Amino acid sequence: MSPTVAVVGASLAGLSAARALRNQSYDGRIVVIGDEAHAPYDRPPLSKEFLAGTASLDDITLGAPDDEDLGLEWRLHTTAVGLDHLSRSVLLEDGSEIRADGVVLATGARARRLPGSEGLDGVHVLRSLDDAIALREELAAAGRLVVIGAGFIGAEVASTARALGLEVTVVETQPVPLAGPLGAEMGAVCAGLHADHGTRLLTGTGVAGLVGAGRVEAVELTDGTRLPADVVLVGIGATPNIEWLAHSGVALGNGVLTDARCVTNIPGVVAVGDCAAAWSAAAERHVRIEHWTHALEQPATAAAALLGTGGPTTTPVPYFWSDQYGARIQFAGSRRDGDVARVLEGSCADRSFLVVYERHGQPVAVLGMNQPRLFTRWRRQLRSAVLTQS
């Protein structure tokens, strides 16, 4: 019989893993299991063009004409509920199972919900296509949006809603939005885009609860302030979808724990994308990276490891971007507290600049706003430096 690889997860990481297996000459059976009814689609536009109504489902599909030649067996609208590590069988919700010689775990992550918001109409998260469709329908009839969380998803939805004409308030518990990835100084600069475009930003205050009977009417803050709301978007991070592996023997932490090659503690099982926490020699710990580019590129390493053809691994340079209020924000590298941020080009006040973060005099990260060409050059230099070091 032909060998079988089961890919659990049918989003970008799962599709990329299937493509990588074929690109690396694997000609056996590939079964792709996804809990959503939709074929793989691109998630970044969900908070921007798709939410605004300027992009259709066809525009955001991840499928390509060449994918028909991959010979994939799709099991969509099918939820995996367990993994038998002895037989490497993926157990499905309908009681069936898929026996495999190799398994790729690519189940992604889900949006965290605000406790107490269950059953209250008008309260949304944004992670899936169905989430985006539901939010888009409500924004079309709303006048006031409150966004809880000033991370990238929250900021992008706020930007889209302002362009649609809504009154928008963003609430952030931290004193400075985006201080984690960007540092306080540059986080404050990027957060300034909200004020530039008429979005109210409230920082350093938490949410005490939601007000409303059956449907949300306001957001109550910990200082007693009540913010009237027709719609609320909760953007407070994501949780890896790993509960179904609780009794599988697969090592779990803040995600599926793997080595730098995406290999788990179970032979023949690898993990990729938002559900995986890979060992980082630089950070000296397992790191879970929730970036689109990582989900696109990492599966090639996992496929090579699964097929036994992998060579030396290189440390990836994290990269992400965000489009807000017409500005393109791009970041690459790994910033730590104590790193020095220097503006090399442009002006923060003009919302067009390039900043390099230095550690002991060496560049370790780069941030650009509306500087795509210069940013790309610096990102390439960072990647070259990592390859040289490895």
Side-chain angles (χ1 to χ4, degrees), residues 182 293 317-322 328-333 344-345 353-357 364-383:
L182 306 183
T293 305
V317 176
Y319 165 70
F320 60 84
W321 79 94
S322 179
R328 168 59 63 97
I329 300 169
Q330 296 172 285
F331 183 91
L344 295 191
E345 184 74 25
F353 59 83
L354 186 115
V355 169
V356 172
Y357 297 81
V364 293
V366 59
L367 167 68
M369 180 182 288
N370 293 327
Q371 289 281 350
R373 295 180 67 179
L374 188 56
F375 175 86
T376 299
R377 190 186 315 159
W378 270 93
R379 181 187 175 201
R380 191 179 301 122
Q381 290 179 22
L382 285 176
R383 297 184 75 159

Side-chain angles (χ1 to χ4, degrees), residues 190-210:
C190 291
L193 289 170
H194 292 300
D196 292 349
H197 294 83
T199 296
R200 184 184 181 193
L201 175 64
L202 304 177
T203 61
T205 184
V207 173
L210 302 178

Side-chain angles (χ1 to χ4, degrees), residues 45 48-56 59 136 160 164:
K48 300 182 283 290
E49 299 92 344
F50 186 83
L51 189 61
T54 59
S56 68
D59 293 327
R136 184 172 66 180
T160 300
L164 292 173

Side-chain angles (χ1 to χ4, degrees), residues 15-16 18-19 22 40 61-72 74:
L15 177 59
S16 296
R19 288 169 172 168
R22 292 297 189 226
T61 183
L62 285 173
D66 290 346
D67 288 344
E68 294 183 8
D69 298 330
L70 299 179
L72 307 180
W74 292 94

